[in-house]
Amino acid sequence: MKSKLTAMALAAVVVAGTAATAIPASAASAKAGPTRCHTADLKAGFAMGDDAKPEMGQTKKQTQAYIWFTNRSKRTCTLSGFAGVDMIGAQKTDGTWSLARSSKKPVKMILEQGDTVDFSITLLPVARSTPQKEKFVPATFLVTPPNETKHFTLKWPFGGQILKQDGATHPATYLNPVGF
């Protein structure tokens, strides 16, 4: 069910490992299996392949950035749900923006040692000429795996700015569950 873009992004990230396996959450709970992944079990980063980079230079449509988790532990573990993502802005007026979640339903992802899974963040870039109060300039992302309290700190590598909608009920910048 992954899009071609996500598949290409994973291909750029996964060199020696394999992609995670998705199973419906209802089927996963029917039999005992691996326990959930903890932050200490994982490493994280932005997908950097040419097809995975968000188009921050355009301002006419939404674009996607991808964050991946790789199981670096010696055990099989699962991820299910939404990561927590807080963007910290580069401007004094930006502050911290906790991203809203999409309406997509999460699936349980099984990650064997070395497996990688990602999730997408949908962004709405704006022009540099947009008034400062209407734009958010990302600098750092605090990314917390599902059901965890410890986060990864990732520097935003793509530049650009996003339409500031941190108080909106249905913002144009939001995140999808792990595996989407």
Side-chain angles (χ1 to χ4, degrees):
M1 283 198 335
K2 290 188 170 288
S3 70
K4 183 176 180 182
L5 181 61
T6 302
M8 288 180 182
L10 277 176
V13 172
V14 180
V15 175
T18 58
T21 305
I23 58 172
S26 58
S29 60
K31 67 177 188 171
T35 58
R36 73 179 167 88
C37 302
H38 297 283
T39 305
D41 297 324
L42 304 167
K43 59 184 175 180
F46 284 101
M48 298 299 290
D50 287 339
D51 291 339
K53 292 179 183 176
E55 298 176 63
M56 297 304 292
Q58 61 81 31
T59 59
K60 300 203 182 314
K61 62 180 181 173
Q62 292 170 303
T63 187
Q64 283 76 37
Y66 294 87
I67 296 175
W68 51 263
F69 293 118
T70 297
N71 179 2
R72 65 184 187 131
S73 74
K74 296 185 189 293
R75 67 182 186 88
T76 299
C77 61
T78 63
L79 281 176
S80 180
F82 290 84
V85 177
D86 293 328
M87 294 190 304
I88 299 172
Q91 304 177 118
K92 290 180 186 177
T93 57
D94 287 340
T96 300
W97 180 354
S98 296
L99 294 184
R101 298 173 173 183
S102 73
S103 61
K104 291 185 177 178
K105 302 293 180 217
V107 295
K108 185 179 267 187
M109 304 299 295
I110 298 174
L111 281 77
E112 294 182 21
Q113 183 180 5
D115 283 355
T116 296
V117 66
D118 69 354
F119 66 93
S120 63
I121 299 173
T122 299
L123 307 159
L124 183 58
V126 294
R128 285 202 185 294
S129 60
T130 301
Q132 183 175 346
K133 67 180 182 175
E134 295 176 22
K135 66 182 177 183
F136 185 95
V137 181
T140 305
F141 279 52
L142 305 179
V143 180
T144 308
N147 303 307
E148 286 292 297
T149 57
K150 294 183 179 172
H151 64 264
F152 295 98
T153 301
L154 305 176
K155 184 178 179 195
W156 177 249
F158 305 114
Q161 48 276 324
I162 301 165
L163 181 62
K164 189 169 188 172
Q165 296 180 307
D166 53 341
T169 306
H170 299 288
T173 295
Y174 57 88
L175 63 107
N176 286 305
V178 171
F180 288 91

